[in-house]
C-alpha cells in the first residue's frame, strides 16, 4: 500500500533537496506503513502516523542530512511517533489490541510458535506469544514485528531500521530467546501424571 506524499512541504523544497527527500521517502514509506499498521491495527491511523513522521522529517531535512545514520534517525522518529499514538489510545484500545494482536501473531508468526509443547488451545498460545512480544523493549520489538509479522528478510529489516544485518540477526535471536523464556511455564506446567492430581514428591 502506498503512502501519500507530503505535498505542501515537499513542493516548497529546492529541487535537489526535494529529489533527495522523495528518494528517501520512497525507500522507507512501505516498511514504515507496515510497521505502524501491525502495531496500531488501523490502516487510516497508520497512514496518518506515517504521514506525520514524513512531514516532520521534511521540515527538518537539513538536520536529518547531518546525522551519522539518517535511516536510523528516521526509524527512531517513526517508532517514537507510533509508540506515542499507542499510549494515547491505550485505555480505549488495550483489550481489543491485545486480542487482535494475538490473532495476528498466531496466524503470522509460526516460527515463534513452532515447537511449543503445551496443553493449551491455539488461541491461548496466540495470546501468550502476543503478550511476550508486547513485553519486548525497543528494537527487539521492532525486529520481531518486521521479521516475523511482516515477513521481512534480514536485509530488508536492516535497511528499514538503518541498521546492519549482523545486528538484526542478533536482535532477532535475543527477542526469540526472551519470548521462549516467557513461554517456558506453558511447556513446564502441563497437566500430567505428576501434575496437581498426581503423586507428590518422593
Amino acid at each position: 500500500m502506498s503512502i501519500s506524499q507530503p505535498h505542501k512541504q515537499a513542493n516548497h523544497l529546492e529541487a535537489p533537496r526535494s529529489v533527495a527527500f522523495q528518494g528517501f521517502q520512497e525507500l522507507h514509506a512501505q516498511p514504515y506503513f507496515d510497521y505502524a499498521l501491525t502495531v496500531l491495527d488501523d490502516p487510516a491511523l497508520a497512514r496518518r502516523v506515517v504521514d506525520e513522521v514524513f512531514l516532520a522529517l521534511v521540515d527538518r531535512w537539513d538536520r536529518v542530512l547531518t546525522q551519522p545514520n539518517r535511516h536510523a534517525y528516521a526509524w527512531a522518529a517513526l517508532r517514537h511517533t507510533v509508540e506515542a499514538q499507542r499510549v494515547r489510545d491505550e485505555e480505549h484500545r488495550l483489550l481489543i489490541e491485545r486480542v487482535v494482536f494475538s490473532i495476528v501473531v498466531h496466524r503470522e508468526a509460526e516460527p515463534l510458535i513452532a515447537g511449543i509443547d503445551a496443553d493449551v488451545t491455539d488461541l491461548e498460545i496466540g495470546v501468550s506469544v502476543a503478550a511476550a512480544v508486547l513485553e519486548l523493549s525497543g528494537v527487539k520489538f521492532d525486529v520481531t514485528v518486521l521479521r516475523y509479522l511482516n515477513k521481512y528478510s534480514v536485509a530488508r529489516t536492516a535497511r528499514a531500521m538503518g541498521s546492519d544485518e549482523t545486528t538484526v540477526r542478533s536482535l532477532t535471536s535475543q527477542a526469540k530467546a526472551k519470548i521462549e523464556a516467557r513461554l517456558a511455564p506453558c511447556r513446564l506446567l502441563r497437566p500430567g501424571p505428576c501434575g496437581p492430581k498426581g503423586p507428590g514428591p518422593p
Side-chain angles (χ1 to χ4, degrees):
M1 185 177 297
S2 61
I3 310 301
S4 59
Q5 304 289 322
H7 297 290
K8 292 182 181 179
Q9 281 79 355
N11 287 343
H12 293 293
L13 296 174
E14 304 90 347
R17 185 178 176 219
S18 177
V19 170
F21 175 77
Q22 288 173 6
F24 182 91
Q25 185 180 29
E26 289 172 5
L27 177 65
H28 291 300
Q30 192 62 53
Y32 284 17
F33 177 79
D34 291 342
Y35 176 83
L37 178 60
T38 301
V39 175
L40 300 174
D41 193 48
D42 182 329
L45 180 59
R47 184 184 299 276
R48 191 160 63 248
V49 165
V50 173
D51 281 346
E52 178 183 331
V53 170
F54 281 123
L55 287 170
L57 290 172
V58 76
D59 277 344
R60 57 177 185 266
W61 186 240
D62 289 337
R63 179 180 176 185
V64 173
L65 293 177
T66 67
Q67 301 301 311
N69 187 333
R70 71 191 67 169
H71 306 286
Y73 177 87
W75 179 265
L78 170 75
R79 77 174 322 277
H80 175 78
T81 306
V82 170
E83 181 61 20
Q85 181 64 53
R86 186 166 66 156
V87 169
R88 283 196 295 269
D89 294 347
E90 189 169 8
E91 289 185 4
H92 304 289
R93 293 171 52 87
L94 184 58
L95 178 59
I96 295 174
E97 176 183 297
R98 284 183 179 269
V99 171
V100 171
F101 192 62
S102 299
I103 294 170
V104 171
V105 169
H106 182 256
R107 185 180 67 234
E108 302 293 345
E110 186 62 30
L112 289 174
I113 299 171
I116 295 176
D117 182 18
D119 286 341
V120 293
T121 67
D122 285 349
L123 181 57
E124 286 173 328
I125 291 174
V127 169
S128 297
V129 175
V133 170
L134 288 169
E135 288 175 2
L136 295 173
S137 60
V139 288
K140 293 185 183 70
F141 176 81
D142 296 349
V143 298
T144 301
V145 169
L146 293 176
R147 293 277 290 113
Y148 289 108
L149 303 188
N150 293 131
K151 307 297 186 184
Y152 277 26
S153 66
V154 171
R156 192 178 184 193
T157 300
R159 285 196 302 272
M161 295 178 63
S163 184
D164 58 80
E165 295 184 21
T166 300
T167 299
V168 168
R169 289 193 183 93
S170 175
L171 289 170
T172 301
S173 297
Q174 293 172 38
K176 191 166 184 180
K178 283 184 174 292
I179 290 170
E180 289 173 350
R182 172 72 164 73
L183 297 175
C186 293
R187 297 193 298 272
L188 298 175
L189 303 179
R190 298 183 295 164
C194 294
K197 295 184 179 180

